[in-house]
Amino acid sequence: MQVEVTPEETAVLIRWKKRSDNHVLVRMKAEAVLYASEGVSISIIAKMVERTERTVLEWLAEWRATRMCSVLTGHAG
């Protein structure tokens, strides 16, 4: 499942992924969206972020619905 990410969103997601003071869930979601934007398979993304394929698919569906807000929602509160 490939998702569209603008250059501006990519820059923000990369910053979020690199920041150690961000909640780990924010970093994982940012990483998953970045991988998906490059066409990486769901199974590989799931392995990279250590989550189930179902979870990654949910994250990407949320991304399509709410974009950047989806990365900051949920347990990352």
Side-chain angles (χ1 to χ4, degrees):
M1 168 191 265
Q2 190 159 0
V3 295
E4 298 294 323
V5 180
T6 68
E8 295 82 9
E9 290 169 331
T10 299
V12 172
L13 290 169
I14 289 170
R15 281 196 305 270
W16 285 352
K17 186 176 91 65
K18 289 182 177 181
R19 287 187 57 171
S20 61
D21 61 333
N22 276 339
H23 192 284
V24 68
L25 186 60
V26 171
R27 293 195 308 265
M28 286 190 301
K29 285 183 175 185
E31 187 173 4
V33 171
L34 288 166
Y35 284 138
S37 74
E38 295 294 329
V40 176
S41 74
I42 297 301
S43 62
I44 298 297
I45 296 171
K47 287 177 188 175
M48 296 299 290
V49 298
E50 299 177 330
R51 291 296 183 264
T52 66
E53 290 182 29
R54 180 179 173 194
T55 297
V56 172
L57 286 170
E58 288 172 2
W59 290 351
L60 299 179
E62 290 171 6
W63 172 263
R64 287 185 165 168
T66 62
R67 310 296 292 183
M68 299 297 282
C69 293
S70 70
V71 178
L72 298 174
T73 59
H75 299 292

